[in-house]
Structure formats: structure tokens, C-alpha cells
Amino acid sequence: MSLATTVDIMRFILGSQSPARRKTLENAGISPEVIVADIAEDEVLATVSHLDFPAQVTQLARAKAHAILPSVGGGDAVLVTCDSMLEFAGKLVGKPHSAELAVARWQKMRGQSALLHTGHHLVYQADGKQVSTTACATTKVFFATLSDAEIADYVATGEPLEVAGAFTVDGLGGAFVERIEGDYHSVVGISLPLLRQMFSKVGGYWPHLWNASQSN
């Protein structure tokens, strides 16, 4: 199902408090309005644990969108929610939250590779109709062989505590990622190429989003 619209300016709502996701969109010519979802991620994951890892992450993104939709209201709008988690050693891991866990993860990840799954859910409403689509971008990340001192100093900055997989590629952690196979933007937290495909799938036209702005 797709929507046809001639609207050039519409609300673009980002369902994430991630500064990196917002900055990625702004660099791509989109000024998002931010509405943060309040969901119990552990409870959602418990209900979808039978699915493969990419599907679990996309279900988290979908759950965030469903929580935000009542706040969107009417009018032409695009809502995008994302969730990123790292698949490492056969397990799916999110944000470490504590310094102790971040150190332990890096001691295992150094010199290794892992898969970063970023689930996306997009809702497009226009002309009084609403359609949605869900997809996941997966990128292989190769980590440098860090010393214990480098790990300790990196964790001490606080950066890895509240990011998926305990690392960033666009911040201090960028020096510790030797290379990636896949979309750089998905490692930052939101895949622009995938979003364009998703938006096109539901009848949108990506260049229209270059004019998207916050509602007054």
C-alpha cells in the first residue's frame, strides 16, 4: 500500500533522544521534531525472544512508534523510530549502563568483530491515510585490539555507557573501530539509505523531506 501526496513540507518526527541520530538527519537536510518513547524494552524483548536478532531489534523500534503515535495527532507527518543492539558471541547486547559492564564487554570485543543491528520503523500519514513499514540495517564492525589502559580511559569518559554495544563510531570510540562492512550511518544509529527505501515503499518522495521542519 502506498500514499500519494503533493505536500512538500511536513512534520518529521524522530522517536529517539539520540543526539547522533538527530545530527545525522540534520546533516541530510531534515530538521526533526523529537518525541521520546517511554517503553519497557526488556519486556518487549521478552515477548519476541523467539525471533532472530534483527527481528527483535525491529520489534523494539515498532513498539516505540506505537507508543509515540497517539502524540503525533493529525496532519501530514513522518514518524521514524530506531533501536540499535550489538550481536556479539551469539548474544544480543544493548547499552551497558555501568562502567564495570562496559569494561568487561570491551575486554571481550577487542580484536574481534560483531554485528550492529539497527531496527527502523517508519509511519507515513498523508491525505488522511496512514501506512507503515519496518526494516533492519546490519553492519559488521571490526574492533581494534585495545590495551587495558585504553579501555579504562575510554570507559572513564562515560561515552560508552549509554550507547548500544558500548561504542560509538562518530565520537571518541571512532579510533577504536578499525573498519566496518555495511552502512556507516546505521552504526551511528539511523540508516539514511534504508530510510529512503522505506519512505519510497510507502509512497513518499525523499527530496520532500529536505524541507521537513518542526511544527509551530
Side-chain angles (χ1 to χ4, degrees), residues 124-189:
Y124 180 32
Q125 60 183 38
D127 302 332
K129 299 178 181 179
Q130 186 182 92
V131 291
S132 62
T133 185
T134 305
C136 184
T138 297
T139 301
K140 192 171 186 178
V141 183
F142 295 81
F143 299 107
T145 303
L146 275 63
S147 66
D148 288 343
E150 285 176 312
I151 292 174
D153 285 340
Y154 180 43
V155 172
T157 69
E159 183 185 85
L161 303 188
E162 299 300 326
V163 290
F167 77 98
T168 67
V169 72
D170 59 330
L172 298 177
F176 305 139
V177 176
E178 292 192 334
R179 63 188 175 93
I180 65 171
E181 292 179 358
D183 178 20
Y184 168 84
H185 295 107
S186 72
V187 183
V188 176

Coordinates of all heavy atoms in Angstrom, one line a residue, residues 124-189:
Y124 N 4.0 6.8 7.9 CA 3.8 8.0 7.0 C 2.3 8.2 6.9 O 1.5 7.3 6.6 CB 4.3 7.6 5.6 CG 4.1 8.7 4.5 CD1 4.2 10.0 4.8 CD2 4.0 8.3 3.2 CE1 4.0 11.0 3.9 CE2 3.9 9.3 2.2 CZ 3.9 10.6 2.5 OH 3.7 11.6 1.6
Q125 N 1.9 9.4 7.4 CA 0.5 9.8 7.3 C 0.3 11.0 6.4 O 1.0 12.0 6.6 CB -0.2 10.0 8.6 CG 0.4 11.0 9.5 CD -0.3 11.1 10.9 OE1 -0.6 10.0 11.4 NE2 -0.5 12.2 11.4
A126 N -0.6 10.9 5.4 CA -0.8 12.0 4.5 C -2.2 11.8 3.8 O -2.6 10.6 3.7 CB 0.3 12.0 3.4
D127 N -2.8 12.8 3.5 CA -4.1 12.8 2.8 C -5.1 12.0 3.6 O -6.0 11.3 3.1 CB -4.0 12.2 1.4 CG -3.0 13.0 0.5 OD1 -2.9 14.2 0.8 OD2 -2.4 12.4 -0.4
G128 N -5.0 12.0 5.0 CA -5.9 11.4 5.8 C -5.7 9.9 5.9 O -6.5 9.2 6.5
K129 N -4.6 9.4 5.4 CA -4.3 7.9 5.5 C -3.0 7.7 6.2 O -2.2 8.6 6.3 CB -4.3 7.3 4.1 CG -5.6 7.4 3.3 CD -5.5 6.8 2.0 CE -6.8 6.9 1.2 NZ -6.7 6.3 -0.2
Q130 N -2.8 6.5 6.6 CA -1.6 6.2 7.3 C -1.0 4.8 6.9 O -1.8 3.8 6.9 CB -1.8 6.2 8.9 CG -0.6 6.0 9.7 CD -0.9 6.0 11.2 OE1 -1.2 4.9 11.8 NE2 -1.0 7.2 11.8
V131 N 0.3 4.7 6.6 CA 0.9 3.4 6.3 C 2.2 3.4 7.0 O 2.8 4.4 7.5 CB 1.1 3.3 4.8 CG1 -0.2 3.1 4.0 CG2 1.9 4.4 4.2
S132 N 2.7 2.1 7.2 CA 4.0 2.0 7.9 C 4.8 0.8 7.3 O 4.2 0.0 6.6 CB 3.7 1.7 9.4 OG 3.0 0.5 9.6
T133 N 6.0 0.8 7.7 CA 6.9 -0.3 7.2 C 8.1 -0.4 8.2 O 8.4 0.6 8.9 CB 7.5 0.0 5.8 OG1 8.2 -1.1 5.4 CG2 8.3 1.2 5.8
T134 N 8.6 -1.6 8.3 CA 9.7 -1.9 9.3 C 10.8 -2.6 8.6 O 10.6 -3.4 7.7 CB 9.2 -2.8 10.4 OG1 8.0 -2.2 11.0 CG2 10.3 -3.0 11.5
A135 N 12.1 -2.2 8.9 CA 13.2 -2.9 8.3 C 14.4 -2.8 9.3 O 14.4 -2.0 10.2 CB 13.6 -2.2 7.0
C136 N 15.5 -3.6 9.0 CA 16.7 -3.5 9.8 C 17.9 -3.4 8.9 O 18.0 -4.0 7.9 CB 16.7 -4.8 10.6 SG 18.1 -4.9 11.8
A137 N 18.9 -2.6 9.4 CA 20.2 -2.5 8.7 C 21.2 -3.2 9.6 O 21.2 -2.9 10.8 CB 20.5 -1.0 8.5
T138 N 22.0 -4.1 9.0 CA 23.0 -4.8 9.8 C 24.4 -4.5 9.2 O 24.6 -4.6 8.0 CB 22.8 -6.3 9.7 OG1 21.5 -6.6 10.3 CG2 23.9 -7.1 10.4
T139 N 25.3 -4.1 10.1 CA 26.6 -3.7 9.7 C 27.7 -4.5 10.5 O 27.5 -4.6 11.7 CB 26.9 -2.2 9.8 OG1 25.9 -1.5 9.0 CG2 28.3 -1.8 9.4
K140 N 28.7 -5.0 9.9 CA 29.7 -5.7 10.6 C 30.8 -4.7 11.0 O 31.3 -3.9 10.2 CB 30.3 -6.8 9.7 CG 31.2 -7.8 10.5 CD 31.6 -9.0 9.6 CE 32.4 -10.0 10.4 NZ 32.8 -11.2 9.5
V141 N 31.1 -4.8 12.3 CA 32.1 -3.8 12.9 C 33.3 -4.6 13.4 O 33.2 -5.6 14.1 CB 31.4 -3.1 14.1 CG1 32.4 -2.1 14.7 CG2 30.1 -2.4 13.7
F142 N 34.5 -4.1 13.0 CA 35.7 -4.7 13.4 C 36.4 -3.8 14.5 O 36.8 -2.6 14.2 CB 36.6 -4.9 12.2 CG 36.1 -5.9 11.2 CD1 35.1 -5.5 10.3 CD2 36.5 -7.2 11.2 CE1 34.6 -6.4 9.3 CE2 36.0 -8.1 10.3 CZ 35.1 -7.7 9.3
F143 N 36.7 -4.3 15.6 CA 37.2 -3.5 16.7 C 38.7 -3.7 16.8 O 39.3 -4.7 16.6 CB 36.6 -4.0 18.1 CG 35.1 -3.8 18.1 CD1 34.3 -4.9 18.1 CD2 34.6 -2.5 18.2 CE1 32.9 -4.7 18.1 CE2 33.2 -2.3 18.3 CZ 32.4 -3.4 18.3
A144 N 39.4 -2.6 17.2 CA 40.9 -2.6 17.4 C 41.2 -3.4 18.6 O 40.4 -3.6 19.5 CB 41.4 -1.2 17.5
T145 N 42.5 -3.8 18.7 CA 43.0 -4.5 19.9 C 43.4 -3.5 20.9 O 44.6 -3.0 20.9 CB 44.1 -5.5 19.5 OG1 43.6 -6.4 18.5 CG2 44.5 -6.3 20.7
L146 N 42.6 -3.1 21.8 CA 42.8 -2.1 22.8 C 43.6 -2.7 24.0 O 43.4 -3.8 24.3 CB 41.6 -1.4 23.3 CG 41.0 -0.3 22.5 CD1 40.6 -0.7 21.1 CD2 39.8 0.3 23.2
S147 N 44.4 -1.8 24.6 CA 45.1 -2.2 25.8 C 44.1 -2.0 27.0 O 43.1 -1.3 26.8 CB 46.3 -1.4 26.1 OG 45.9 0.0 26.3
D148 N 44.4 -2.6 28.1 CA 43.5 -2.4 29.3 C 43.4 -1.0 29.7 O 42.4 -0.5 30.1 CB 44.0 -3.2 30.5 CG 43.8 -4.7 30.3 OD1 43.0 -5.1 29.5 OD2 44.5 -5.5 31.1
A149 N 44.6 -0.2 29.5 CA 44.6 1.2 29.9 C 43.7 2.0 28.9 O 42.9 2.9 29.4 CB 46.0 1.7 29.8
E150 N 43.7 1.7 27.6 CA 42.8 2.4 26.7 C 41.4 2.1 27.0 O 40.5 3.0 26.9 CB 43.1 1.9 25.3 CG 44.4 2.5 24.7 CD 44.8 1.9 23.3 OE1 44.7 0.7 23.2 OE2 45.1 2.7 22.4
I151 N 41.0 0.9 27.3 CA 39.7 0.5 27.7 C 39.2 1.3 28.9 O 38.1 1.9 28.9 CB 39.5 -1.0 27.9 CG1 39.7 -1.7 26.6 CG2 38.1 -1.3 28.5 CD1 39.7 -3.3 26.8
A152 N 40.1 1.3 29.9 CA 39.7 2.0 31.2 C 39.5 3.5 30.9 O 38.6 4.1 31.4 CB 40.8 1.8 32.2
D153 N 40.4 4.1 30.1 CA 40.3 5.5 29.9 C 39.1 5.9 29.0 O 38.4 6.9 29.2 CB 41.6 6.1 29.2 CG 42.8 6.2 30.2 OD1 42.5 6.2 31.4 OD2 43.9 6.2 29.7
Y154 N 38.8 5.0 28.1 CA 37.6 5.2 27.2 C 36.3 5.1 28.1 O 35.5 6.0 28.0 CB 37.6 4.2 26.1 CG 36.4 4.4 25.2 CD1 36.0 5.7 24.7 CD2 35.7 3.3 24.7 CE1 34.9 5.8 23.9 CE2 34.6 3.4 23.9 CZ 34.2 4.7 23.5 OH 33.1 4.8 22.6
V155 N 36.2 4.1 28.9 CA 35.0 4.0 29.7 C 34.9 5.1 30.7 O 33.8 5.6 31.0 CB 35.1 2.6 30.5 CG1 34.0 2.5 31.5 CG2 35.0 1.5 29.5
A156 N 36.1 5.6 31.2 CA 36.0 6.7 32.1 C 35.5 8.0 31.6 O 35.0 8.9 32.3 CB 37.5 7.0 32.7
T157 N 35.5 8.1 30.2 CA 34.9 9.3 29.6 C 33.3 9.3 29.7 O 32.7 10.3 29.6 CB 35.2 9.4 28.1 OG1 34.6 8.3 27.4 CG2 36.7 9.3 27.9
G158 N 32.8 8.1 30.0 CA 31.3 8.0 30.1 C 30.6 7.7 28.8 O 29.5 7.3 28.7
E159 N 31.3 7.9 27.6 CA 30.7 7.8 26.3 C 30.1 6.4 26.1 O 29.0 6.3 25.6 CB 31.7 8.2 25.2 CG 31.0 8.1 23.8 CD 32.1 8.3 22.7 OE1 32.7 7.3 22.3 OE2 32.2 9.5 22.2
P160 N 30.8 5.3 26.4 CA 30.3 4.0 26.0 C 29.1 3.5 26.9 O 28.5 2.5 26.6 CB 31.5 3.1 26.1 CG 32.5 3.8 27.0 CD 32.2 5.2 26.9
L161 N 28.8 4.2 28.0 CA 27.8 3.7 28.9 C 26.4 3.6 28.4 O 25.6 2.7 28.7 CB 27.9 4.5 30.2 CG 29.2 4.6 31.0 CD1 29.1 5.2 32.3 CD2 29.9 3.2 31.1
E162 N 26.0 4.6 27.6 CA 24.6 4.8 27.2 C 24.5 4.7 25.7 O 23.6 5.3 25.1 CB 24.1 6.1 27.7 CG 24.0 6.2 29.2 CD 23.2 5.1 29.9 OE1 22.2 4.7 29.3 OE2 23.6 4.7 31.0
V163 N 25.4 3.9 25.0 CA 25.2 3.6 23.6 C 25.3 2.1 23.3 O 25.9 1.4 24.1 CB 26.4 4.3 22.8 CG1 26.2 5.8 22.8 CG2 27.7 3.9 23.3
A164 N 24.6 1.7 22.3 CA 24.5 0.3 22.0 C 25.8 -0.3 21.7 O 26.6 0.2 21.0 CB 23.6 0.1 20.8
G165 N 26.1 -1.4 22.4 CA 27.4 -2.1 22.2 C 28.6 -1.5 22.9 O 29.7 -2.0 22.8
A166 N 28.4 -0.4 23.6 CA 29.4 0.2 24.4 C 30.5 0.9 23.5 O 31.6 1.0 23.9 CB 30.1 -0.7 25.3
F167 N 30.0 1.4 22.3 CA 31.0 2.1 21.5 C 30.2 3.1 20.5 O 29.0 2.9 20.3 CB 31.8 1.1 20.6 CG 31.0 0.6 19.4 CD1 31.2 1.1 18.1 CD2 30.1 -0.5 19.6 CE1 30.5 0.6 17.1 CE2 29.4 -1.0 18.5 CZ 29.6 -0.4 17.2
T168 N 31.0 4.1 20.1 CA 30.5 4.9 19.0 C 31.5 4.9 17.9 O 32.6 4.5 18.0 CB 30.4 6.4 19.5 OG1 31.7 6.9 19.7 CG2 29.5 6.5 20.7
V169 N 31.0 5.2 16.7 CA 31.9 5.3 15.5 C 32.1 6.8 15.1 O 33.0 7.1 14.4 CB 31.3 4.5 14.3 CG1 30.1 5.2 13.7 CG2 32.4 4.2 13.3
D170 N 31.2 7.6 15.7 CA 31.3 9.1 15.3 C 31.7 9.9 16.5 O 31.6 11.1 16.4 CB 29.9 9.5 14.8 CG 28.8 9.4 15.9 OD1 29.0 8.4 16.7 OD2 27.9 10.1 15.9
G171 N 32.3 9.3 17.5 CA 32.8 10.0 18.7 C 34.1 9.6 19.1 O 35.0 9.2 18.2
L172 N 34.4 9.5 20.4 CA 35.7 9.1 20.9 C 36.0 7.7 20.5 O 37.2 7.3 20.3 CB 35.7 9.3 22.4 CG 35.5 10.7 23.0 CD1 35.5 10.6 24.5 CD2 36.7 11.6 22.5
G173 N 35.0 6.9 20.4 CA 35.2 5.5 20.0 C 35.6 5.2 18.6 O 35.9 4.1 18.2
G174 N 35.5 6.2 17.8 CA 35.8 6.1 16.3 C 37.2 5.6 16.1 O 37.5 4.8 15.1
A175 N 38.1 5.9 17.0 CA 39.5 5.5 16.8 C 39.7 4.0 17.1 O 40.7 3.4 16.8 CB 40.4 6.3 17.7
F176 N 38.7 3.4 17.8 CA 38.8 2.0 18.2 C 38.0 1.1 17.3 O 37.9 -0.1 17.5 CB 38.3 1.9 19.6 CG 39.0 2.8 20.6 CD1 38.3 3.4 21.6 CD2 40.3 3.0 20.5 CE1 38.9 4.3 22.5 CE2 41.0 3.8 21.4 CZ 40.3 4.5 22.4
V177 N 37.4 1.7 16.2 CA 36.8 0.9 15.2 C 37.6 0.9 13.9 O 37.8 1.9 13.3 CB 35.4 1.4 14.8 CG1 34.7 0.6 13.7 CG2 34.5 1.4 16.1
E178 N 38.2 -0.3 13.6 CA 39.2 -0.3 12.5 C 38.5 -0.2 11.2 O 39.1 0.4 10.2 CB 40.1 -1.6 12.6 CG 41.0 -1.6 13.9 CD 42.0 -2.6 13.8 OE1 41.8 -3.7 13.2 OE2 43.1 -2.5 14.4
R179 N 37.4 -0.9 11.0 CA 36.6 -0.8 9.8 C 35.3 -1.4 10.0 O 35.0 -2.0 11.0 CB 37.4 -1.6 8.6 CG 37.5 -3.0 8.8 CD 38.4 -3.7 7.8 NE 38.6 -5.1 8.0 CZ 37.9 -6.1 7.5 NH1 36.9 -5.8 6.6 NH2 38.2 -7.3 7.7
I180 N 34.4 -1.1 9.0 CA 33.1 -1.6 9.0 C 32.7 -2.2 7.6 O 33.3 -1.8 6.6 CB 32.0 -0.6 9.4 CG1 31.9 0.5 8.4 CG2 32.3 0.0 10.8 CD1 30.8 1.5 8.6
E181 N 31.8 -3.1 7.6 CA 31.3 -3.7 6.3 C 29.8 -3.4 6.4 O 29.0 -4.1 7.1 CB 31.6 -5.2 6.2 CG 33.0 -5.5 6.0 CD 33.3 -7.0 5.9 OE1 32.3 -7.8 6.0 OE2 34.5 -7.4 5.8
G182 N 29.3 -2.4 5.6 CA 27.9 -2.0 5.6 C 27.8 -0.5 5.7 O 28.7 0.2 5.3
D183 N 26.6 -0.1 6.1 CA 26.3 1.4 6.1 C 26.8 2.0 7.4 O 26.4 1.7 8.5 CB 24.8 1.5 6.0 CG 24.3 2.9 6.1 OD1 25.1 3.8 5.8 OD2 23.1 3.2 6.4
Y184 N 27.7 3.0 7.2 CA 28.2 3.8 8.3 C 27.1 4.4 9.1 O 27.1 4.4 10.4 CB 29.2 4.9 7.8 CG 29.6 5.9 8.8 CD1 30.6 5.7 9.7 CD2 28.9 7.1 8.9 CE1 31.0 6.7 10.6 CE2 29.2 8.1 9.8 CZ 30.3 7.8 10.7 OH 30.6 8.8 11.6
H185 N 26.1 5.0 8.5 CA 25.0 5.7 9.2 C 24.3 4.8 10.1 O 23.8 5.2 11.2 CB 24.1 6.3 8.2 CG 24.7 7.4 7.4 ND1 25.0 7.3 6.0 CD2 25.1 8.7 7.7 CE1 25.5 8.4 5.6 NE2 25.6 9.2 6.5
S186 N 24.1 3.5 9.8 CA 23.4 2.6 10.6 C 24.2 2.3 11.9 O 23.6 2.1 13.0 CB 23.1 1.2 9.9 OG 24.3 0.5 9.8
V187 N 25.5 2.4 11.9 CA 26.3 2.3 13.1 C 26.1 3.5 14.0 O 26.1 3.4 15.2 CB 27.8 2.0 12.8 CG1 28.6 1.8 14.0 CG2 27.9 0.8 11.8
V188 N 26.0 4.7 13.4 CA 25.7 5.9 14.1 C 24.3 5.8 14.8 O 24.1 6.3 15.9 CB 25.8 7.1 13.2 CG1 25.4 8.4 14.0 CG2 27.2 7.3 12.6
G189 N 23.4 5.1 14.1 CA 22.1 4.8 14.7 C 20.9 5.0 13.8 O 19.8 4.6 14.2

